[in-house]
Amino acid sequence: MELKEKLVSSFLAFEEEYTGANDDLHKIRNQAIKDFETMGFPSRKEEDYKYTSLKSILKEDYSLFPKKENAIEYKDIKKYLIHEIDTYDLVFIDGIYSSHLSSTTHDKIDVCLMSSALNKDLYKPVIDNYFNKLAPKNGLNSLNTAFTKEGAFIHINKNTLADKPIQIINFSTGNESSLLVQPRNLIVVDENSHCQIIERHQSLTDQPVLTNSVTEIFADKRAIIDYYKIQNDKLSASLIDNTYIEQKSESFCSVHTFSLGGKLTRNNLNFYQRGERIDSTMKGITIIEGKQHVDHNTLVHHIEPNCESHQDYKGIFDERSVGVFNGKVVVEKEAQKTNAYQSNNNVLLNDKATINSKPQLEIFADDVKCSHGCTIGQLNEEALFYLQSRGIPRKEASGLLMYAFANNVLESVKIPEIKKRINKLIAHKLGVELGFNL
């Protein structure tokens, strides 16, 4: 049985298990499974998936409903957490919430479970206003919505500064021979509030796992959100990450994506600016090798005037790896005085490595400053020769040049412990000792 047929036929059993869910959610789920049945999984016939085929990851006979939470201790996962600082933690094991590994709060900051928010009257106003209101209708989003059960629910109340960062960590244990997990996250940051969020998907074994994640983020007036995605999974793990962000006037939202591992990674990241004096920042570093595949598909939709957006994605590709950058900036007629910048720079370390880059601008306003650019090249031989002439071996010289190439993306990271962690991961990926304290 193909995966699509298996999912559709399993939906009834899923719905029967969650009969306690509210009627509105039942309607949303039932419509979503109908939409998925109609649209299915995206194929390379679609322009947005022209360079990314999902066929290889859809062949597995995935388990859809994990039997139980596997016994995982803190020592098993500590190295994957940003444990050097105090954080709120939402930890999920094979898609199931782990209470003994998590730390939540319910004061002015609500850090809790999507399953609770969907089924408790206390959270109904937020769910009614925000859940499933931003993710566009397509096959993958509809599939996630149909099977929405668990994930992170974060609500930062008005005039509140989150006292510590929030980590959302999804682990897969290999308890199933292969597993499909579909986390659903909803993050609402009210007016004049600020939070920092760290997200990671991590396999603990080499069993195949496919994650289809959907995250909806709402930033109200003058809200500030710093979001960090660490993607450094095993070669048996694939991730389709769908993140959609709506911003109101004078809000600031930044997303940093570090794609360093995994078999296939597809990042769909959309910003919608609904107000004036909004700032949206999207930055990313990709370093892959072998037959790894990373695809960044971004959209910034400038709807109203006097806003800015900044995109800066760097990629380093070795062996037979494949990278894709498909970035679109849309400036509506009303969005005068827009400043939009987009940059995608790539280094190919091997003749068999591939990068497909397609920066796009669609501008309907006449008083704007917009730019986009793409570069694809190899390491500068003159710079390599210079470093070697100073006694630095070629391997270390290459590593230093690649580190310098990617490092400016890290300058805007606001949590020092994350910057230190990513520095170490980059050094490890480059296979060199950079020669200074990270």
Side-chain angles (χ1 to χ4, degrees):
M1 182 184 297
E2 290 188 356
L3 181 58
K4 178 184 174 181
E5 296 173 353
K6 182 178 180 178
L7 287 160
V8 172
S9 62
S10 301
F11 176 74
L12 183 60
F14 172 81
E15 273 286 81
E16 289 177 352
E17 183 179 353
Y18 295 96
T19 52
N22 62 62
D23 291 338
D24 291 339
L25 182 58
H26 274 297
K27 293 177 183 177
I28 291 172
R29 282 176 174 159
N30 278 281
Q31 184 58 52
I33 196 65
K34 291 176 183 177
D35 293 337
F36 171 70
E37 191 171 10
T38 300
M39 293 181 283
F41 292 103
S43 71
R44 296 185 68 171
K45 294 179 181 179
E46 300 176 32
E47 183 64 27
D48 283 350
Y49 281 83
K50 183 177 180 180
Y51 301 110
T52 298
S53 173
L54 302 183
K55 284 185 178 180
S56 64
I57 64 173
L58 300 179
K59 292 178 180 179
E60 296 286 344
D61 184 20
Y62 293 107
S63 172
L64 306 181
F65 310 115
K67 299 177 181 63
K68 60 180 180 179
E69 178 189 340
N70 208 349
I72 296 295
E73 300 299 327
Y74 179 75
K75 63 181 177 60
D76 300 318
I77 65 170
K78 180 181 177 180
K79 67 179 181 179
Y80 301 112
L81 302 174
I82 308 297
H83 56 81
E84 299 87 351
I85 55 176
D86 192 20
T87 59
Y88 295 113
D89 300 321
L90 286 165
V91 178
F92 302 92
I93 309 295
D94 294 336
I96 300 172
Y97 174 65
S98 175
S99 58
H100 77 283
L101 294 173
S102 300
S103 59
T104 61
T105 181
H106 299 281
D107 193 12
K108 287 187 176 181
I109 305 170
D110 254 318
V111 179
C112 62
L113 305 182
M114 180 63 82
S115 57
S116 297
L118 289 171
N119 295 292
K120 291 185 177 179
D121 291 340
L122 175 65
Y123 302 107
K124 193 175 188 305
V126 177
I127 293 298
D128 288 348
N129 285 329
Y130 297 106
F131 176 72
N132 204 42
K133 297 296 194 293
L134 192 54
K137 184 185 293 186
N138 60 44
L140 291 167
N141 289 340
S142 295
L143 174 62
N144 180 285
T145 302
F147 288 92
T148 290
K149 178 178 70 169
E150 198 57 282
F153 176 85
I154 299 170
H155 182 205
I156 312 297
N157 284 294
K158 185 177 179 180
N159 300 324
T160 301
L161 170 65
D163 56 330
K164 50 189 177 181
I166 302 162
Q167 294 195 85
I168 306 169
I169 316 291
N170 294 272
F171 291 102
S172 57
T173 63
N175 195 38
E176 311 283 343
S177 59
S178 58
L179 179 66
L180 170 63
V181 290
Q182 301 197 79
R184 182 63 172 249
N185 305 316
L186 177 61
I187 299 163
V188 179
V189 181
D190 286 346
E191 190 174 327
N192 299 318
S193 295
H194 179 200
C195 69
Q196 297 174 314
I197 300 172
I198 307 154
E199 179 188 77
R200 182 163 187 164
H201 303 271
Q202 185 65 51
S203 300
L204 301 177
T205 71
D206 292 322
Q207 298 283 45
V209 60
L210 170 59
T211 300
N212 177 36
S213 174
V214 172
T215 301
E216 294 177 296
I217 301 173
F218 295 85
D220 209 336
K221 295 177 181 179
R222 296 176 294 280
I224 301 174
I225 302 173
D226 297 314
Y227 207 104
Y228 303 95
K229 296 175 179 286
I230 302 176
Q231 302 171 346
N232 189 35
D233 215 337
K234 294 182 178 292
L235 293 176
S236 55
S238 295
L239 169 66
I240 303 171
D241 185 277
N242 308 282
T243 300
Y244 307 102
I245 301 171
E246 180 180 277
Q247 294 181 251
K248 294 295 180 66
S249 296
E250 300 181 57
S251 61
F252 174 89
C253 188
S254 67
V255 177
H256 290 72
T257 305
F258 305 104
S259 302
L260 309 174
K263 179 181 179 179
L264 183 150
T265 302
R266 165 76 178 215
N267 289 302
N268 298 311
L269 177 58
N270 293 10
F271 278 76
Y272 304 96
Q273 297 186 338
R274 302 187 187 280
E276 295 192 36
R277 294 176 293 280
I278 290 171
D279 194 311
S280 305
T281 297
M282 315 156 77
K283 295 192 175 186
I285 297 174
T286 300
I287 305 176
I288 56 174
E289 58 192 354
K291 295 183 179 180
Q292 292 176 294
H293 185 114
V294 172
D295 181 345
H296 294 286
N297 190 285
T298 69
L299 167 68
V300 181
H301 194 176
H302 291 269
I303 302 169
E304 298 191 37
N306 301 306
C307 295
E308 294 190 10
S309 65
H310 306 265
Q311 296 186 61
D312 187 7
Y313 283 79
K314 300 284 185 74
I316 299 174
F317 305 92
D318 200 0
E319 298 173 341
R320 294 178 177 270
S321 61
V322 177
V324 182
F325 176 78
N326 189 350
K328 179 184 287 188
V329 176
V330 179
V331 182
E332 296 293 352
K333 184 178 180 180
E334 296 79 10
Q336 304 292 344
K337 304 293 184 182
T338 290
N339 292 335
Y341 307 96
Q342 183 186 82
S343 177
N344 175 229
N345 301 299
N346 306 281
V347 173
L348 301 180
L349 302 179
N350 192 296
D351 291 341
K352 295 179 180 179
T354 303
I355 173 67
N356 300 286
S357 185
K358 186 182 178 184
Q360 305 172 69
L361 294 177
E362 294 185 7
I363 302 172
F364 302 99
D366 54 18
D367 185 9
V368 300
K369 293 181 181 179
C370 297
S371 66
H372 65 145
C374 166
T375 62
I376 301 172
Q378 298 177 323
L379 290 177
N380 188 308
E381 287 295 331
E382 291 184 3
L384 280 172
F385 177 79
Y386 174 81
L387 291 174
Q388 288 178 275
S389 71
R390 295 300 184 267
I392 301 175
R394 184 178 178 88
K395 182 179 179 182
E396 281 72 17
S398 297
L400 285 170
L401 288 177
M402 288 186 285
Y403 177 82
F405 168 76
N407 187 54
N408 72 322
V409 173
L410 294 176
E411 292 176 358
S412 53
V413 173
K414 297 178 181 177
I415 302 177
E417 290 77 11
I418 290 184
K419 186 179 294 188
K420 183 177 180 180
R421 178 70 61 90
I422 298 303
N423 268 317
K424 289 183 177 180
L425 290 174
I426 291 175
H428 178 73
K429 285 289 291 186
L430 299 178
V432 296
E433 176 58 55
L434 293 174
F436 52 86
N437 184 21
L438 296 176

PDB file of all heavy atoms in Angstrom, residues 63-65 75 81 117 119 194 214 240 270 306 321 338 363 381 404 406-407 419 436:
ATOM      1  N   SER A  63       5.485   3.698  10.357  1.00  0.00           N
ATOM      2  CA  SER A  63       4.508   3.569  11.426  1.00  0.00           C
ATOM      3  C   SER A  63       3.895   4.937  11.665  1.00  0.00           C
ATOM      4  O   SER A  63       4.611   5.947  11.760  1.00  0.00           O
ATOM      5  CB  SER A  63       5.189   3.053  12.697  1.00  0.00           C
ATOM      6  OG  SER A  63       4.290   3.094  13.787  1.00  0.00           O
ATOM      7  N   LEU A  64       2.579   4.994  11.760  1.00  0.00           N
ATOM      8  CA  LEU A  64       1.889   6.280  11.894  1.00  0.00           C
ATOM      9  C   LEU A  64       1.546   6.621  13.334  1.00  0.00           C
ATOM     10  O   LEU A  64       1.431   7.790  13.689  1.00  0.00           O
ATOM     11  CB  LEU A  64       0.597   6.267  11.066  1.00  0.00           C
ATOM     12  CG  LEU A  64       0.742   5.903   9.581  1.00  0.00           C
ATOM     13  CD1 LEU A  64      -0.614   5.960   8.899  1.00  0.00           C
ATOM     14  CD2 LEU A  64       1.737   6.822   8.889  1.00  0.00           C
ATOM     15  N   PHE A  65       1.390   5.587  14.177  1.00  0.00           N
ATOM     16  CA  PHE A  65       0.972   5.809  15.558  1.00  0.00           C
ATOM     17  C   PHE A  65       1.927   5.066  16.490  1.00  0.00           C
ATOM     18  O   PHE A  65       1.787   3.862  16.687  1.00  0.00           O
ATOM     19  CB  PHE A  65      -0.464   5.323  15.777  1.00  0.00           C
ATOM     20  CG  PHE A  65      -1.432   5.843  14.760  1.00  0.00           C
ATOM     21  CD1 PHE A  65      -2.069   4.976  13.880  1.00  0.00           C
ATOM     22  CD2 PHE A  65      -1.699   7.194  14.658  1.00  0.00           C
ATOM     23  CE1 PHE A  65      -2.961   5.452  12.932  1.00  0.00           C
ATOM     24  CE2 PHE A  65      -2.587   7.677  13.710  1.00  0.00           C
ATOM     25  CZ  PHE A  65      -3.223   6.805  12.846  1.00  0.00           C
ATOM     26  N   LYS A  75      20.330  11.890  30.391  1.00  0.00           N
ATOM     27  CA  LYS A  75      21.706  11.679  29.931  1.00  0.00           C
ATOM     28  C   LYS A  75      21.754  11.275  28.459  1.00  0.00           C
ATOM     29  O   LYS A  75      22.766  11.504  27.782  1.00  0.00           O
ATOM     30  CB  LYS A  75      22.391  10.617  30.786  1.00  0.00           C
ATOM     31  CG  LYS A  75      21.750   9.232  30.717  1.00  0.00           C
ATOM     32  CD  LYS A  75      22.476   8.237  31.606  1.00  0.00           C
ATOM     33  CE  LYS A  75      21.801   6.881  31.608  1.00  0.00           C
ATOM     34  NZ  LYS A  75      21.720   6.252  30.274  1.00  0.00           N
ATOM     35  N   LEU A  81      20.659  19.290  23.752  1.00  0.00           N
ATOM     36  CA  LEU A  81      19.993  20.453  24.330  1.00  0.00           C
ATOM     37  C   LEU A  81      20.992  21.592  24.514  1.00  0.00           C
ATOM     38  O   LEU A  81      22.196  21.362  24.658  1.00  0.00           O
ATOM     39  CB  LEU A  81      19.381  20.100  25.680  1.00  0.00           C
ATOM     40  CG  LEU A  81      18.367  18.952  25.707  1.00  0.00           C
ATOM     41  CD1 LEU A  81      17.987  18.638  27.146  1.00  0.00           C
ATOM     42  CD2 LEU A  81      17.128  19.300  24.902  1.00  0.00           C
ATOM     43  N   ALA A 117      -4.143  22.564  24.579  1.00  0.00           N
ATOM     44  CA  ALA A 117      -4.738  23.791  24.054  1.00  0.00           C
ATOM     45  C   ALA A 117      -5.933  23.508  23.156  1.00  0.00           C
ATOM     46  O   ALA A 117      -6.909  24.256  23.143  1.00  0.00           O
ATOM     47  CB  ALA A 117      -3.683  24.587  23.284  1.00  0.00           C
ATOM     48  N   ASN A 119      -8.081  21.148  23.414  1.00  0.00           N
ATOM     49  CA  ASN A 119      -9.215  20.477  24.045  1.00  0.00           C
ATOM     50  C   ASN A 119      -9.654  21.083  25.367  1.00  0.00           C
ATOM     51  O   ASN A 119     -10.510  20.520  26.044  1.00  0.00           O
ATOM     52  CB  ASN A 119      -8.880  18.994  24.256  1.00  0.00           C
ATOM     53  CG  ASN A 119      -8.704  18.254  22.941  1.00  0.00           C
ATOM     54  OD1 ASN A 119      -9.656  18.077  22.197  1.00  0.00           O
ATOM     55  ND2 ASN A 119      -7.480  17.844  22.654  1.00  0.00           N
ATOM     56  N   HIS A 194       8.218  39.639  24.064  1.00  0.00           N
ATOM     57  CA  HIS A 194       9.484  39.184  23.476  1.00  0.00           C
ATOM     58  C   HIS A 194       9.767  37.752  23.920  1.00  0.00           C
ATOM     59  O   HIS A 194       9.615  37.417  25.092  1.00  0.00           O
ATOM     60  CB  HIS A 194      10.616  40.108  23.935  1.00  0.00           C
ATOM     61  CG  HIS A 194      11.974  39.725  23.411  1.00  0.00           C
ATOM     62  ND1 HIS A 194      13.148  40.140  23.999  1.00  0.00           N
ATOM     63  CD2 HIS A 194      12.337  38.954  22.356  1.00  0.00           C
ATOM     64  CE1 HIS A 194      14.177  39.646  23.325  1.00  0.00           C
ATOM     65  NE2 HIS A 194      13.711  38.925  22.333  1.00  0.00           N
ATOM     66  N   VAL A 214       4.504  21.483  11.048  1.00  0.00           N
ATOM     67  CA  VAL A 214       3.876  22.760  10.710  1.00  0.00           C
ATOM     68  C   VAL A 214       3.895  23.661  11.943  1.00  0.00           C
ATOM     69  O   VAL A 214       3.476  23.255  13.027  1.00  0.00           O
ATOM     70  CB  VAL A 214       2.422  22.574  10.218  1.00  0.00           C
ATOM     71  CG1 VAL A 214       1.743  23.933  10.054  1.00  0.00           C
ATOM     72  CG2 VAL A 214       2.389  21.813   8.901  1.00  0.00           C
ATOM     73  N   ILE A 240      10.552  17.768   6.632  1.00  0.00           N
ATOM     74  CA  ILE A 240       9.824  18.785   5.872  1.00  0.00           C
ATOM     75  C   ILE A 240       9.290  19.772   6.902  1.00  0.00           C
ATOM     76  O   ILE A 240       8.385  19.458   7.677  1.00  0.00           O
ATOM     77  CB  ILE A 240       8.681  18.183   5.043  1.00  0.00           C
ATOM     78  CG1 ILE A 240       9.211  17.104   4.098  1.00  0.00           C
ATOM     79  CG2 ILE A 240       7.973  19.283   4.247  1.00  0.00           C
ATOM     80  CD1 ILE A 240       8.135  16.306   3.398  1.00  0.00           C
ATOM     81  N   ASN A 270       7.619  31.172   5.323  1.00  0.00           N
ATOM     82  CA  ASN A 270       6.855  32.287   4.761  1.00  0.00           C
ATOM     83  C   ASN A 270       6.624  33.367   5.816  1.00  0.00           C
ATOM     84  O   ASN A 270       6.220  33.063   6.947  1.00  0.00           O
ATOM     85  CB  ASN A 270       5.487  31.824   4.251  1.00  0.00           C
ATOM     86  CG  ASN A 270       5.587  30.914   3.049  1.00  0.00           C
ATOM     87  OD1 ASN A 270       6.657  30.455   2.679  1.00  0.00           O
ATOM     88  ND2 ASN A 270       4.447  30.627   2.438  1.00  0.00           N
ATOM     89  N   ASN A 306       6.540  50.970   4.363  1.00  0.00           N
ATOM     90  CA  ASN A 306       7.552  51.295   5.378  1.00  0.00           C
ATOM     91  C   ASN A 306       8.039  50.072   6.163  1.00  0.00           C
ATOM     92  O   ASN A 306       8.201  50.118   7.383  1.00  0.00           O
ATOM     93  CB  ASN A 306       7.002  52.348   6.360  1.00  0.00           C
ATOM     94  CG  ASN A 306       6.590  53.623   5.665  1.00  0.00           C
ATOM     95  OD1 ASN A 306       7.376  54.229   4.930  1.00  0.00           O
ATOM     96  ND2 ASN A 306       5.339  54.032   5.854  1.00  0.00           N
ATOM     97  N   SER A 321      26.262  16.170  -2.914  1.00  0.00           N
ATOM     98  CA  SER A 321      25.151  16.838  -2.237  1.00  0.00           C
ATOM     99  C   SER A 321      24.452  17.829  -3.163  1.00  0.00           C
ATOM    100  O   SER A 321      25.027  18.311  -4.135  1.00  0.00           O
ATOM    101  CB  SER A 321      25.658  17.558  -0.984  1.00  0.00           C
ATOM    102  OG  SER A 321      26.611  18.546  -1.330  1.00  0.00           O
ATOM    103  N   THR A 338       9.293  50.257   0.826  1.00  0.00           N
ATOM    104  CA  THR A 338       9.792  48.952   1.261  1.00  0.00           C
ATOM    105  C   THR A 338      11.292  48.842   0.995  1.00  0.00           C
ATOM    106  O   THR A 338      11.774  49.250  -0.059  1.00  0.00           O
ATOM    107  CB  THR A 338       9.055  47.816   0.523  1.00  0.00           C
ATOM    108  OG1 THR A 338       7.707  47.747   0.995  1.00  0.00           O
ATOM    109  CG2 THR A 338       9.738  46.479   0.737  1.00  0.00           C
ATOM    110  N   ILE A 363       7.626  43.010  -7.806  1.00  0.00           N
ATOM    111  CA  ILE A 363       7.441  44.352  -7.248  1.00  0.00           C
ATOM    112  C   ILE A 363       6.329  45.079  -8.002  1.00  0.00           C
ATOM    113  O   ILE A 363       6.398  45.261  -9.219  1.00  0.00           O
ATOM    114  CB  ILE A 363       8.753  45.158  -7.338  1.00  0.00           C
ATOM    115  CG1 ILE A 363       9.875  44.415  -6.602  1.00  0.00           C
ATOM    116  CG2 ILE A 363       8.563  46.547  -6.743  1.00  0.00           C
ATOM    117  CD1 ILE A 363      11.238  45.031  -6.792  1.00  0.00           C
ATOM    118  N   GLU A 381      41.696  30.105  -4.859  1.00  0.00           N
ATOM    119  CA  GLU A 381      43.004  29.454  -4.839  1.00  0.00           C
ATOM    120  C   GLU A 381      44.102  30.396  -4.366  1.00  0.00           C
ATOM    121  O   GLU A 381      45.048  29.967  -3.695  1.00  0.00           O
ATOM    122  CB  GLU A 381      43.336  28.905  -6.233  1.00  0.00           C
ATOM    123  CG  GLU A 381      42.541  27.671  -6.620  1.00  0.00           C
ATOM    124  CD  GLU A 381      42.857  26.468  -5.747  1.00  0.00           C
ATOM    125  OE1 GLU A 381      43.995  26.380  -5.235  1.00  0.00           O
ATOM    126  OE2 GLU A 381      41.961  25.620  -5.555  1.00  0.00           O
ATOM    127  N   ALA A 404      35.078  31.478   7.546  1.00  0.00           N
ATOM    128  CA  ALA A 404      34.934  32.923   7.338  1.00  0.00           C
ATOM    129  C   ALA A 404      33.771  33.233   6.403  1.00  0.00           C
ATOM    130  O   ALA A 404      33.044  34.219   6.589  1.00  0.00           O
ATOM    131  CB  ALA A 404      36.234  33.492   6.775  1.00  0.00           C
ATOM    132  N   ALA A 406      30.992  31.571   6.049  1.00  0.00           N
ATOM    133  CA  ALA A 406      29.684  31.367   6.683  1.00  0.00           C
ATOM    134  C   ALA A 406      29.482  32.210   7.934  1.00  0.00           C
ATOM    135  O   ALA A 406      28.354  32.421   8.371  1.00  0.00           O
ATOM    136  CB  ALA A 406      29.505  29.881   7.037  1.00  0.00           C
ATOM    137  N   ASN A 407      30.552  32.739   8.504  1.00  0.00           N
ATOM    138  CA  ASN A 407      30.496  33.284   9.858  1.00  0.00           C
ATOM    139  C   ASN A 407      29.606  34.508   9.996  1.00  0.00           C
ATOM    140  O   ASN A 407      29.011  34.722  11.057  1.00  0.00           O
ATOM    141  CB  ASN A 407      31.909  33.632  10.338  1.00  0.00           C
ATOM    142  CG  ASN A 407      31.921  34.039  11.798  1.00  0.00           C
ATOM    143  OD1 ASN A 407      31.444  33.310  12.652  1.00  0.00           O
ATOM    144  ND2 ASN A 407      32.462  35.216  12.072  1.00  0.00           N
ATOM    145  N   LYS A 419      25.377  30.448  19.503  1.00  0.00           N
ATOM    146  CA  LYS A 419      26.478  30.811  18.612  1.00  0.00           C
ATOM    147  C   LYS A 419      27.672  29.885  18.846  1.00  0.00           C
ATOM    148  O   LYS A 419      28.300  29.404  17.895  1.00  0.00           O
ATOM    149  CB  LYS A 419      26.866  32.270  18.843  1.00  0.00           C
ATOM    150  CG  LYS A 419      27.916  32.784  17.868  1.00  0.00           C
ATOM    151  CD  LYS A 419      28.254  34.249  18.134  1.00  0.00           C
ATOM    152  CE  LYS A 419      27.074  35.149  17.845  1.00  0.00           C
ATOM    153  NZ  LYS A 419      27.450  36.593  17.926  1.00  0.00           N
ATOM    154  N   PHE A 436      41.103  28.338  17.627  1.00  0.00           N
ATOM    155  CA  PHE A 436      40.799  29.333  18.659  1.00  0.00           C
ATOM    156  C   PHE A 436      39.625  28.805  19.473  1.00  0.00           C
ATOM    157  O   PHE A 436      38.915  27.898  19.084  1.00  0.00           O
ATOM    158  CB  PHE A 436      40.466  30.712  18.066  1.00  0.00           C
ATOM    159  CG  PHE A 436      39.409  30.698  17.009  1.00  0.00           C
ATOM    160  CD1 PHE A 436      38.066  30.758  17.346  1.00  0.00           C
ATOM    161  CD2 PHE A 436      39.761  30.625  15.660  1.00  0.00           C
ATOM    162  CE1 PHE A 436      37.096  30.754  16.372  1.00  0.00           C
ATOM    163  CE2 PHE A 436      38.795  30.626  14.690  1.00  0.00           C
ATOM    164  CZ  PHE A 436      37.462  30.689  15.038  1.00  0.00           C
TER     165      PHE A 436
END
